Amino acid sequence: MHPRRPEGFDGLGYRGGGREESGPGPRPFGSVSELGHWVTSPPDIPGSRNLHWGEKTPPYGAGTPLGGAGLNEEPNLGPGGPGADQLNRFAGFGIGLASLFTENVLAHPCIVLRRQCQVNYHARNYHLTPFTIVNIMYSINKTQGPRALWKGMGSTFIVQGITLGTEGIISEFTPLPSLTHVVAMPFYSASLIETVQSEIIRDNPGILDCVKEGIGRVVGMGVPHSKRLLPLMVLTFPTVLHGVLHYVISSIIQKLVLYVLKRGNSHNLPPEGSTSIQGMLDAYFPELIASFAASLCADVMLYPLETVLHRLHIQGTRTIIDNTDLGYEVLPINTQYEGMRDCINTIRREEGMLGFYKGFGAVVVQYTLHVAVLQLTKIIYSTLLQNVS
């Protein structure tokens, strides 16, 4: 039985067509016609070596595994070779993934408590500091279990997916971001209900319940609501206003911070072709830092508007939330705001100006976790580069 292997095939290095063998010994295969029309090459794997018949793997530090390229062999993980570029891209992807994980998964309990505090007009404790937020998180986790702090996470991903998909479609016709928020608004409202609803009286929702409730809110069907439920037309202006302002503020802050960081590091940047570890870090991390600062500034500046927005979305939905003063018991939401202006005046009159910042300590905890993860991934990234340099 003849092997189905064309001459000149050397593993990951094969690109079709024959070539001279560089190995000292003859190949143990018979002559086979060229089969380059059906042989494909799998993606390169960093660190792999393609040896010919009779070759031996050189010991670590000898030959060219970390230096220049050998015969018919791409440079390996040298600081300036393609291997280092692959590691750089891989590490950058890992850091971005860690940042995304922190923002959407690890920080989700902070988002849950933040929203519950914002819509809780009964609360006497405003939770303006991270210390009280951590304490109430512990109490809720102790009485209701860990699921109480991770509820609604699936619906938040669905809303983000709908937002990104809608943005990609609408951007083909118009650059206005307001239409994206209008389309995602009913699904955002349904997701908000899932994140603030108390786990004590909450049924196990399905993954697509957010979509079903959002469509039902548009067509006027689904779960029955009270007469205090505000129509979507009333919610359109505050929702679009919050979304557009968040986009504008974050874009300005991101460009400003990125400009300052790059200008401050311009005299420290290595020359072109340099492969210093610090140079690689300085080239990538300003993007993450700028994105982090932009999101933080936008969330802080628009926090009062977000409080008003969430109260308007939750009104009339017969939602029951946790008591954020005690960490146990539940409270109904029975507000009667007539619109955005009435909501602002009522909060300022009955709860004071700090009433707009209820749950602000959760924002501090959320972004503290984000900073910690960014710093940890930076240390890991630096260690990886040092090991291959």
PDB file of all heavy atoms in Angstrom, residues 119 121-122 226-231 234 308 311-317 332-347 349-351:
ATOM      1  N   VAL A 119     -33.495  52.102  40.825  1.00  0.00           N
ATOM      2  CA  VAL A 119     -34.960  52.091  40.711  1.00  0.00           C
ATOM      3  C   VAL A 119     -35.646  52.004  42.066  1.00  0.00           C
ATOM      4  O   VAL A 119     -36.874  52.126  42.138  1.00  0.00           O
ATOM      5  CB  VAL A 119     -35.421  50.916  39.821  1.00  0.00           C
ATOM      6  CG1 VAL A 119     -34.818  51.019  38.438  1.00  0.00           C
ATOM      7  CG2 VAL A 119     -35.073  49.568  40.450  1.00  0.00           C
ATOM      8  N   TYR A 121     -36.848  53.625  44.887  1.00  0.00           N
ATOM      9  CA  TYR A 121     -37.159  54.936  45.451  1.00  0.00           C
ATOM     10  C   TYR A 121     -37.463  54.847  46.945  1.00  0.00           C
ATOM     11  O   TYR A 121     -37.532  55.884  47.625  1.00  0.00           O
ATOM     12  CB  TYR A 121     -38.337  55.562  44.704  1.00  0.00           C
ATOM     13  CG  TYR A 121     -39.630  54.781  44.823  1.00  0.00           C
ATOM     14  CD1 TYR A 121     -40.578  55.102  45.789  1.00  0.00           C
ATOM     15  CD2 TYR A 121     -39.907  53.720  43.963  1.00  0.00           C
ATOM     16  CE1 TYR A 121     -41.762  54.396  45.906  1.00  0.00           C
ATOM     17  CE2 TYR A 121     -41.084  53.009  44.059  1.00  0.00           C
ATOM     18  CZ  TYR A 121     -42.003  53.345  45.029  1.00  0.00           C
ATOM     19  OH  TYR A 121     -43.167  52.622  45.141  1.00  0.00           O
ATOM     20  N   HIS A 122     -37.647  53.602  47.475  1.00  0.00           N
ATOM     21  CA  HIS A 122     -37.879  53.435  48.910  1.00  0.00           C
ATOM     22  C   HIS A 122     -36.586  53.567  49.718  1.00  0.00           C
ATOM     23  O   HIS A 122     -36.642  53.807  50.924  1.00  0.00           O
ATOM     24  CB  HIS A 122     -38.453  52.038  49.207  1.00  0.00           C
ATOM     25  CG  HIS A 122     -39.687  51.703  48.431  1.00  0.00           C
ATOM     26  ND1 HIS A 122     -40.947  52.127  48.794  1.00  0.00           N
ATOM     27  CD2 HIS A 122     -39.861  50.970  47.296  1.00  0.00           C
ATOM     28  CE1 HIS A 122     -41.837  51.670  47.942  1.00  0.00           C
ATOM     29  NE2 HIS A 122     -41.208  50.957  47.015  1.00  0.00           N
ATOM     30  N   SER A 226     -49.479  47.211  34.260  1.00  0.00           N
ATOM     31  CA  SER A 226     -50.453  48.114  34.855  1.00  0.00           C
ATOM     32  C   SER A 226     -50.683  49.308  33.937  1.00  0.00           C
ATOM     33  O   SER A 226     -49.984  49.511  32.938  1.00  0.00           O
ATOM     34  CB  SER A 226     -49.949  48.580  36.225  1.00  0.00           C
ATOM     35  OG  SER A 226     -48.816  49.415  36.070  1.00  0.00           O
ATOM     36  N   LYS A 227     -51.659  50.138  34.315  1.00  0.00           N
ATOM     37  CA  LYS A 227     -51.973  51.314  33.521  1.00  0.00           C
ATOM     38  C   LYS A 227     -50.894  52.383  33.634  1.00  0.00           C
ATOM     39  O   LYS A 227     -50.904  53.339  32.853  1.00  0.00           O
ATOM     40  CB  LYS A 227     -53.329  51.875  33.969  1.00  0.00           C
ATOM     41  CG  LYS A 227     -54.494  50.931  33.711  1.00  0.00           C
ATOM     42  CD  LYS A 227     -55.814  51.552  34.161  1.00  0.00           C
ATOM     43  CE  LYS A 227     -56.984  50.611  33.885  1.00  0.00           C
ATOM     44  NZ  LYS A 227     -58.292  51.202  34.323  1.00  0.00           N
ATOM     45  N   ARG A 228     -49.995  52.241  34.601  1.00  0.00           N
ATOM     46  CA  ARG A 228     -48.922  53.223  34.754  1.00  0.00           C
ATOM     47  C   ARG A 228     -47.757  52.976  33.791  1.00  0.00           C
ATOM     48  O   ARG A 228     -46.795  53.744  33.780  1.00  0.00           O
ATOM     49  CB  ARG A 228     -48.397  53.201  36.195  1.00  0.00           C
ATOM     50  CG  ARG A 228     -49.423  53.617  37.230  1.00  0.00           C
ATOM     51  CD  ARG A 228     -48.789  53.732  38.607  1.00  0.00           C
ATOM     52  NE  ARG A 228     -48.207  52.478  39.029  1.00  0.00           N
ATOM     53  CZ  ARG A 228     -48.870  51.507  39.670  1.00  0.00           C
ATOM     54  NH1 ARG A 228     -50.170  51.664  39.926  1.00  0.00           N
ATOM     55  NH2 ARG A 228     -48.280  50.396  40.033  1.00  0.00           N
ATOM     56  N   LEU A 229     -47.850  51.903  33.007  1.00  0.00           N
ATOM     57  CA  LEU A 229     -46.787  51.604  32.047  1.00  0.00           C
ATOM     58  C   LEU A 229     -46.687  52.715  31.007  1.00  0.00           C
ATOM     59  O   LEU A 229     -47.675  53.067  30.351  1.00  0.00           O
ATOM     60  CB  LEU A 229     -47.068  50.270  31.354  1.00  0.00           C
ATOM     61  CG  LEU A 229     -46.026  49.805  30.336  1.00  0.00           C
ATOM     62  CD1 LEU A 229     -44.739  49.401  31.035  1.00  0.00           C
ATOM     63  CD2 LEU A 229     -46.574  48.636  29.519  1.00  0.00           C
ATOM     64  N   LEU A 230     -45.504  53.271  30.866  1.00  0.00           N
ATOM     65  CA  LEU A 230     -45.306  54.355  29.913  1.00  0.00           C
ATOM     66  C   LEU A 230     -45.184  53.800  28.496  1.00  0.00           C
ATOM     67  O   LEU A 230     -44.507  52.787  28.276  1.00  0.00           O
ATOM     68  CB  LEU A 230     -44.047  55.147  30.268  1.00  0.00           C
ATOM     69  CG  LEU A 230     -44.091  55.907  31.595  1.00  0.00           C
ATOM     70  CD1 LEU A 230     -42.738  56.528  31.898  1.00  0.00           C
ATOM     71  CD2 LEU A 230     -45.177  56.979  31.564  1.00  0.00           C
ATOM     72  N   PRO A 231     -45.805  54.429  27.526  1.00  0.00           N
ATOM     73  CA  PRO A 231     -45.672  53.961  26.132  1.00  0.00           C
ATOM     74  C   PRO A 231     -44.249  54.159  25.639  1.00  0.00           C
ATOM     75  O   PRO A 231     -43.492  54.995  26.135  1.00  0.00           O
ATOM     76  CB  PRO A 231     -46.668  54.824  25.365  1.00  0.00           C
ATOM     77  CG  PRO A 231     -46.870  56.033  26.221  1.00  0.00           C
ATOM     78  CD  PRO A 231     -46.714  55.589  27.637  1.00  0.00           C
ATOM     79  N   VAL A 234     -42.932  57.659  24.786  1.00  0.00           N
ATOM     80  CA  VAL A 234     -42.469  58.502  25.891  1.00  0.00           C
ATOM     81  C   VAL A 234     -41.038  58.135  26.272  1.00  0.00           C
ATOM     82  O   VAL A 234     -40.258  58.989  26.691  1.00  0.00           O
ATOM     83  CB  VAL A 234     -43.418  58.361  27.101  1.00  0.00           C
ATOM     84  CG1 VAL A 234     -42.911  59.169  28.290  1.00  0.00           C
ATOM     85  CG2 VAL A 234     -44.829  58.792  26.715  1.00  0.00           C
ATOM     86  N   VAL A 308     -32.775  58.159  35.922  1.00  0.00           N
ATOM     87  CA  VAL A 308     -34.091  58.568  35.434  1.00  0.00           C
ATOM     88  C   VAL A 308     -34.584  57.607  34.359  1.00  0.00           C
ATOM     89  O   VAL A 308     -35.760  57.189  34.354  1.00  0.00           O
ATOM     90  CB  VAL A 308     -34.020  60.009  34.889  1.00  0.00           C
ATOM     91  CG1 VAL A 308     -35.344  60.403  34.240  1.00  0.00           C
ATOM     92  CG2 VAL A 308     -33.662  60.983  36.004  1.00  0.00           C
ATOM     93  N   ARG A 311     -35.796  54.251  35.821  1.00  0.00           N
ATOM     94  CA  ARG A 311     -37.082  54.360  36.534  1.00  0.00           C
ATOM     95  C   ARG A 311     -38.247  54.480  35.571  1.00  0.00           C
ATOM     96  O   ARG A 311     -39.340  53.946  35.827  1.00  0.00           O
ATOM     97  CB  ARG A 311     -37.039  55.562  37.476  1.00  0.00           C
ATOM     98  CG  ARG A 311     -36.062  55.394  38.633  1.00  0.00           C
ATOM     99  CD  ARG A 311     -36.364  56.329  39.764  1.00  0.00           C
ATOM    100  NE  ARG A 311     -35.410  56.175  40.850  1.00  0.00           N
ATOM    101  CZ  ARG A 311     -35.544  56.743  42.039  1.00  0.00           C
ATOM    102  NH1 ARG A 311     -36.600  57.492  42.291  1.00  0.00           N
ATOM    103  NH2 ARG A 311     -34.622  56.566  42.976  1.00  0.00           N
ATOM    104  N   LEU A 312     -38.036  55.160  34.472  1.00  0.00           N
ATOM    105  CA  LEU A 312     -39.105  55.273  33.478  1.00  0.00           C
ATOM    106  C   LEU A 312     -39.360  53.932  32.794  1.00  0.00           C
ATOM    107  O   LEU A 312     -40.515  53.571  32.524  1.00  0.00           O
ATOM    108  CB  LEU A 312     -38.727  56.332  32.436  1.00  0.00           C
ATOM    109  CG  LEU A 312     -38.629  57.778  32.934  1.00  0.00           C
ATOM    110  CD1 LEU A 312     -38.185  58.695  31.809  1.00  0.00           C
ATOM    111  CD2 LEU A 312     -39.962  58.249  33.513  1.00  0.00           C
ATOM    112  N   HIS A 313     -38.309  53.180  32.508  1.00  0.00           N
ATOM    113  CA  HIS A 313     -38.472  51.881  31.844  1.00  0.00           C
ATOM    114  C   HIS A 313     -39.154  50.866  32.764  1.00  0.00           C
ATOM    115  O   HIS A 313     -39.904  50.004  32.280  1.00  0.00           O
ATOM    116  CB  HIS A 313     -37.108  51.345  31.421  1.00  0.00           C
ATOM    117  CG  HIS A 313     -36.668  51.804  30.072  1.00  0.00           C
ATOM    118  ND1 HIS A 313     -37.083  51.199  28.902  1.00  0.00           N
ATOM    119  CD2 HIS A 313     -35.852  52.821  29.687  1.00  0.00           C
ATOM    120  CE1 HIS A 313     -36.527  51.810  27.869  1.00  0.00           C
ATOM    121  NE2 HIS A 313     -35.780  52.805  28.318  1.00  0.00           N
ATOM    122  N   ILE A 314     -38.907  50.939  34.046  1.00  0.00           N
ATOM    123  CA  ILE A 314     -39.401  49.918  34.966  1.00  0.00           C
ATOM    124  C   ILE A 314     -40.815  50.222  35.456  1.00  0.00           C
ATOM    125  O   ILE A 314     -41.499  49.336  35.989  1.00  0.00           O
ATOM    126  CB  ILE A 314     -38.427  49.788  36.167  1.00  0.00           C
ATOM    127  CG1 ILE A 314     -38.428  48.349  36.705  1.00  0.00           C
ATOM    128  CG2 ILE A 314     -38.798  50.749  37.277  1.00  0.00           C
ATOM    129  CD1 ILE A 314     -37.743  47.376  35.803  1.00  0.00           C
ATOM    130  N   GLN A 315     -41.279  51.451  35.273  1.00  0.00           N
ATOM    131  CA  GLN A 315     -42.591  51.834  35.795  1.00  0.00           C
ATOM    132  C   GLN A 315     -43.706  51.057  35.101  1.00  0.00           C
ATOM    133  O   GLN A 315     -43.728  50.899  33.886  1.00  0.00           O
ATOM    134  CB  GLN A 315     -42.817  53.339  35.610  1.00  0.00           C
ATOM    135  CG  GLN A 315     -44.199  53.808  36.046  1.00  0.00           C
ATOM    136  CD  GLN A 315     -44.327  55.314  36.006  1.00  0.00           C
ATOM    137  OE1 GLN A 315     -43.575  56.020  36.653  1.00  0.00           O
ATOM    138  NE2 GLN A 315     -45.299  55.821  35.227  1.00  0.00           N
ATOM    139  N   GLY A 316     -44.633  50.558  35.904  1.00  0.00           N
ATOM    140  CA  GLY A 316     -45.804  49.878  35.382  1.00  0.00           C
ATOM    141  C   GLY A 316     -45.576  48.448  34.940  1.00  0.00           C
ATOM    142  O   GLY A 316     -46.474  47.823  34.373  1.00  0.00           O
ATOM    143  N   THR A 317     -44.397  47.899  35.195  1.00  0.00           N
ATOM    144  CA  THR A 317     -44.105  46.524  34.770  1.00  0.00           C
ATOM    145  C   THR A 317     -44.363  45.500  35.879  1.00  0.00           C
ATOM    146  O   THR A 317     -44.075  44.325  35.679  1.00  0.00           O
ATOM    147  CB  THR A 317     -42.637  46.412  34.325  1.00  0.00           C
ATOM    148  OG1 THR A 317     -41.777  46.805  35.402  1.00  0.00           O
ATOM    149  CG2 THR A 317     -42.374  47.301  33.123  1.00  0.00           C
ATOM    150  N   PRO A 332     -42.121  46.355  46.108  1.00  0.00           N
ATOM    151  CA  PRO A 332     -42.744  46.593  44.794  1.00  0.00           C
ATOM    152  C   PRO A 332     -42.340  47.959  44.242  1.00  0.00           C
ATOM    153  O   PRO A 332     -41.972  48.872  44.990  1.00  0.00           O
ATOM    154  CB  PRO A 332     -44.237  46.531  45.107  1.00  0.00           C
ATOM    155  CG  PRO A 332     -44.326  47.045  46.522  1.00  0.00           C
ATOM    156  CD  PRO A 332     -43.069  46.590  47.219  1.00  0.00           C
ATOM    157  N   ILE A 333     -42.422  48.099  42.940  1.00  0.00           N
ATOM    158  CA  ILE A 333     -42.169  49.376  42.276  1.00  0.00           C
ATOM    159  C   ILE A 333     -43.521  49.944  41.847  1.00  0.00           C
ATOM    160  O   ILE A 333     -44.174  49.413  40.942  1.00  0.00           O
ATOM    161  CB  ILE A 333     -41.241  49.202  41.061  1.00  0.00           C
ATOM    162  CG1 ILE A 333     -39.888  48.639  41.502  1.00  0.00           C
ATOM    163  CG2 ILE A 333     -41.050  50.517  40.331  1.00  0.00           C
ATOM    164  CD1 ILE A 333     -39.108  49.535  42.430  1.00  0.00           C
ATOM    165  N   ASN A 334     -43.931  51.030  42.509  1.00  0.00           N
ATOM    166  CA  ASN A 334     -45.244  51.620  42.250  1.00  0.00           C
ATOM    167  C   ASN A 334     -45.132  53.110  41.944  1.00  0.00           C
ATOM    168  O   ASN A 334     -45.864  53.932  42.491  1.00  0.00           O
ATOM    169  CB  ASN A 334     -46.179  51.411  43.456  1.00  0.00           C
ATOM    170  CG  ASN A 334     -46.491  49.950  43.702  1.00  0.00           C
ATOM    171  OD1 ASN A 334     -46.754  49.211  42.767  1.00  0.00           O
ATOM    172  ND2 ASN A 334     -46.457  49.538  44.956  1.00  0.00           N
ATOM    173  N   THR A 335     -44.197  53.470  41.098  1.00  0.00           N
ATOM    174  CA  THR A 335     -44.031  54.880  40.752  1.00  0.00           C
ATOM    175  C   THR A 335     -45.118  55.336  39.790  1.00  0.00           C
ATOM    176  O   THR A 335     -45.749  54.516  39.104  1.00  0.00           O
ATOM    177  CB  THR A 335     -42.651  55.113  40.122  1.00  0.00           C
ATOM    178  OG1 THR A 335     -42.499  54.250  38.991  1.00  0.00           O
ATOM    179  CG2 THR A 335     -41.543  54.827  41.120  1.00  0.00           C
ATOM    180  N   GLN A 336     -45.310  56.654  39.735  1.00  0.00           N
ATOM    181  CA  GLN A 336     -46.341  57.221  38.869  1.00  0.00           C
ATOM    182  C   GLN A 336     -45.801  58.454  38.131  1.00  0.00           C
ATOM    183  O   GLN A 336     -46.448  59.495  38.069  1.00  0.00           O
ATOM    184  CB  GLN A 336     -47.580  57.603  39.689  1.00  0.00           C
ATOM    185  CG  GLN A 336     -48.229  56.422  40.392  1.00  0.00           C
ATOM    186  CD  GLN A 336     -49.490  56.827  41.156  1.00  0.00           C
ATOM    187  OE1 GLN A 336     -49.994  57.929  41.013  1.00  0.00           O
ATOM    188  NE2 GLN A 336     -50.008  55.913  41.967  1.00  0.00           N
ATOM    189  N   TYR A 337     -44.626  58.313  37.558  1.00  0.00           N
ATOM    190  CA  TYR A 337     -44.050  59.418  36.806  1.00  0.00           C
ATOM    191  C   TYR A 337     -44.813  59.593  35.502  1.00  0.00           C
ATOM    192  O   TYR A 337     -45.202  58.625  34.844  1.00  0.00           O
ATOM    193  CB  TYR A 337     -42.572  59.156  36.497  1.00  0.00           C
ATOM    194  CG  TYR A 337     -41.732  58.836  37.701  1.00  0.00           C
ATOM    195  CD1 TYR A 337     -41.003  57.654  37.783  1.00  0.00           C
ATOM    196  CD2 TYR A 337     -41.655  59.715  38.777  1.00  0.00           C
ATOM    197  CE1 TYR A 337     -40.216  57.356  38.879  1.00  0.00           C
ATOM    198  CE2 TYR A 337     -40.875  59.433  39.896  1.00  0.00           C
ATOM    199  CZ  TYR A 337     -40.159  58.248  39.941  1.00  0.00           C
ATOM    200  OH  TYR A 337     -39.392  57.961  41.034  1.00  0.00           O
ATOM    201  N   GLU A 338     -44.993  60.849  35.107  1.00  0.00           N
ATOM    202  CA  GLU A 338     -45.689  61.139  33.863  1.00  0.00           C
ATOM    203  C   GLU A 338     -44.735  61.257  32.681  1.00  0.00           C
ATOM    204  O   GLU A 338     -45.168  61.254  31.530  1.00  0.00           O
ATOM    205  CB  GLU A 338     -46.484  62.441  34.011  1.00  0.00           C
ATOM    206  CG  GLU A 338     -47.584  62.343  35.059  1.00  0.00           C
ATOM    207  CD  GLU A 338     -48.353  63.641  35.199  1.00  0.00           C
ATOM    208  OE1 GLU A 338     -48.003  64.610  34.476  1.00  0.00           O
ATOM    209  OE2 GLU A 338     -49.296  63.689  36.006  1.00  0.00           O
ATOM    210  N   GLY A 339     -43.469  61.388  32.962  1.00  0.00           N
ATOM    211  CA  GLY A 339     -42.489  61.511  31.904  1.00  0.00           C
ATOM    212  C   GLY A 339     -41.130  61.854  32.484  1.00  0.00           C
ATOM    213  O   GLY A 339     -40.909  61.802  33.701  1.00  0.00           O
ATOM    214  N   MET A 340     -40.207  62.211  31.621  1.00  0.00           N
ATOM    215  CA  MET A 340     -38.839  62.473  32.041  1.00  0.00           C
ATOM    216  C   MET A 340     -38.750  63.674  32.973  1.00  0.00           C
ATOM    217  O   MET A 340     -38.082  63.627  34.013  1.00  0.00           O
ATOM    218  CB  MET A 340     -37.965  62.687  30.797  1.00  0.00           C
ATOM    219  CG  MET A 340     -36.517  62.961  31.086  1.00  0.00           C
ATOM    220  SD  MET A 340     -35.549  63.147  29.564  1.00  0.00           S
ATOM    221  CE  MET A 340     -33.945  63.562  30.251  1.00  0.00           C
ATOM    222  N   ARG A 341     -39.414  64.750  32.643  1.00  0.00           N
ATOM    223  CA  ARG A 341     -39.342  65.953  33.468  1.00  0.00           C
ATOM    224  C   ARG A 341     -39.960  65.721  34.840  1.00  0.00           C
ATOM    225  O   ARG A 341     -39.402  66.147  35.869  1.00  0.00           O
ATOM    226  CB  ARG A 341     -40.052  67.114  32.761  1.00  0.00           C
ATOM    227  CG  ARG A 341     -40.059  68.404  33.560  1.00  0.00           C
ATOM    228  CD  ARG A 341     -40.746  69.518  32.798  1.00  0.00           C
ATOM    229  NE  ARG A 341     -40.049  69.822  31.559  1.00  0.00           N
ATOM    230  CZ  ARG A 341     -40.456  70.762  30.696  1.00  0.00           C
ATOM    231  NH1 ARG A 341     -41.570  71.462  30.940  1.00  0.00           N
ATOM    232  NH2 ARG A 341     -39.775  70.996  29.585  1.00  0.00           N
ATOM    233  N   ASP A 342     -41.089  65.046  34.880  1.00  0.00           N
ATOM    234  CA  ASP A 342     -41.739  64.764  36.159  1.00  0.00           C
ATOM    235  C   ASP A 342     -40.873  63.849  37.018  1.00  0.00           C
ATOM    236  O   ASP A 342     -40.805  64.010  38.241  1.00  0.00           O
ATOM    237  CB  ASP A 342     -43.105  64.127  35.917  1.00  0.00           C
ATOM    238  CG  ASP A 342     -43.841  63.826  37.225  1.00  0.00           C
ATOM    239  OD1 ASP A 342     -43.996  64.752  38.035  1.00  0.00           O
ATOM    240  OD2 ASP A 342     -44.228  62.659  37.422  1.00  0.00           O
ATOM    241  N   CYS A 343     -40.187  62.887  36.398  1.00  0.00           N
ATOM    242  CA  CYS A 343     -39.314  61.977  37.144  1.00  0.00           C
ATOM    243  C   CYS A 343     -38.148  62.752  37.773  1.00  0.00           C
ATOM    244  O   CYS A 343     -37.803  62.542  38.939  1.00  0.00           O
ATOM    245  CB  CYS A 343     -38.787  60.882  36.217  1.00  0.00           C
ATOM    246  SG  CYS A 343     -37.717  59.676  37.017  1.00  0.00           S
ATOM    247  N   ILE A 344     -37.544  63.655  37.009  1.00  0.00           N
ATOM    248  CA  ILE A 344     -36.431  64.455  37.535  1.00  0.00           C
ATOM    249  C   ILE A 344     -36.882  65.309  38.711  1.00  0.00           C
ATOM    250  O   ILE A 344     -36.222  65.374  39.763  1.00  0.00           O
ATOM    251  CB  ILE A 344     -35.840  65.331  36.414  1.00  0.00           C
ATOM    252  CG1 ILE A 344     -35.196  64.454  35.338  1.00  0.00           C
ATOM    253  CG2 ILE A 344     -34.814  66.315  36.974  1.00  0.00           C
ATOM    254  CD1 ILE A 344     -34.716  65.218  34.125  1.00  0.00           C
ATOM    255  N   ASN A 345     -38.020  65.985  38.566  1.00  0.00           N
ATOM    256  CA  ASN A 345     -38.508  66.856  39.635  1.00  0.00           C
ATOM    257  C   ASN A 345     -38.881  66.067  40.879  1.00  0.00           C
ATOM    258  O   ASN A 345     -38.630  66.507  42.008  1.00  0.00           O
ATOM    259  CB  ASN A 345     -39.715  67.659  39.136  1.00  0.00           C
ATOM    260  CG  ASN A 345     -39.344  68.648  38.049  1.00  0.00           C
ATOM    261  OD1 ASN A 345     -38.209  69.119  37.980  1.00  0.00           O
ATOM    262  ND2 ASN A 345     -40.304  68.959  37.177  1.00  0.00           N
ATOM    263  N   THR A 346     -39.466  64.884  40.696  1.00  0.00           N
ATOM    264  CA  THR A 346     -39.869  64.070  41.840  1.00  0.00           C
ATOM    265  C   THR A 346     -38.657  63.550  42.610  1.00  0.00           C
ATOM    266  O   THR A 346     -38.643  63.568  43.852  1.00  0.00           O
ATOM    267  CB  THR A 346     -40.739  62.892  41.369  1.00  0.00           C
ATOM    268  OG1 THR A 346     -41.877  63.384  40.660  1.00  0.00           O
ATOM    269  CG2 THR A 346     -41.212  62.059  42.556  1.00  0.00           C
ATOM    270  N   ILE A 347     -37.659  63.071  41.916  1.00  0.00           N
ATOM    271  CA  ILE A 347     -36.448  62.583  42.586  1.00  0.00           C
ATOM    272  C   ILE A 347     -35.772  63.718  43.348  1.00  0.00           C
ATOM    273  O   ILE A 347     -35.349  63.563  44.510  1.00  0.00           O
ATOM    274  CB  ILE A 347     -35.480  61.969  41.562  1.00  0.00           C
ATOM    275  CG1 ILE A 347     -36.081  60.700  40.951  1.00  0.00           C
ATOM    276  CG2 ILE A 347     -34.144  61.634  42.229  1.00  0.00           C
ATOM    277  CD1 ILE A 347     -35.232  60.096  39.847  1.00  0.00           C
ATOM    278  N   ARG A 349     -37.103  66.415  44.543  1.00  0.00           N
ATOM    279  CA  ARG A 349     -37.931  66.891  45.647  1.00  0.00           C
ATOM    280  C   ARG A 349     -37.987  65.888  46.794  1.00  0.00           C
ATOM    281  O   ARG A 349     -37.911  66.269  47.972  1.00  0.00           O
ATOM    282  CB  ARG A 349     -39.345  67.175  45.135  1.00  0.00           C
ATOM    283  CG  ARG A 349     -40.288  67.697  46.212  1.00  0.00           C
ATOM    284  CD  ARG A 349     -41.656  68.019  45.641  1.00  0.00           C
ATOM    285  NE  ARG A 349     -42.329  66.838  45.099  1.00  0.00           N
ATOM    286  CZ  ARG A 349     -42.511  66.625  43.796  1.00  0.00           C
ATOM    287  NH1 ARG A 349     -42.021  67.455  42.894  1.00  0.00           N
ATOM    288  NH2 ARG A 349     -43.142  65.538  43.375  1.00  0.00           N
ATOM    289  N   GLU A 350     -38.108  64.589  46.491  1.00  0.00           N
ATOM    290  CA  GLU A 350     -38.320  63.595  47.540  1.00  0.00           C
ATOM    291  C   GLU A 350     -37.037  62.922  48.017  1.00  0.00           C
ATOM    292  O   GLU A 350     -36.981  62.458  49.161  1.00  0.00           O
ATOM    293  CB  GLU A 350     -39.294  62.528  47.027  1.00  0.00           C
ATOM    294  CG  GLU A 350     -40.676  63.076  46.699  1.00  0.00           C
ATOM    295  CD  GLU A 350     -41.616  61.991  46.212  1.00  0.00           C
ATOM    296  OE1 GLU A 350     -41.154  60.815  46.105  1.00  0.00           O
ATOM    297  OE2 GLU A 350     -42.797  62.291  45.947  1.00  0.00           O
ATOM    298  N   GLU A 351     -36.009  62.832  47.173  1.00  0.00           N
ATOM    299  CA  GLU A 351     -34.791  62.110  47.543  1.00  0.00           C
ATOM    300  C   GLU A 351     -33.547  62.983  47.549  1.00  0.00           C
ATOM    301  O   GLU A 351     -32.477  62.536  47.968  1.00  0.00           O
ATOM    302  CB  GLU A 351     -34.579  60.923  46.579  1.00  0.00           C
ATOM    303  CG  GLU A 351     -35.776  59.979  46.525  1.00  0.00           C
ATOM    304  CD  GLU A 351     -35.642  58.950  45.418  1.00  0.00           C
ATOM    305  OE1 GLU A 351     -34.594  58.289  45.345  1.00  0.00           O
ATOM    306  OE2 GLU A 351     -36.596  58.817  44.615  1.00  0.00           O
TER     307      GLU A 351
END
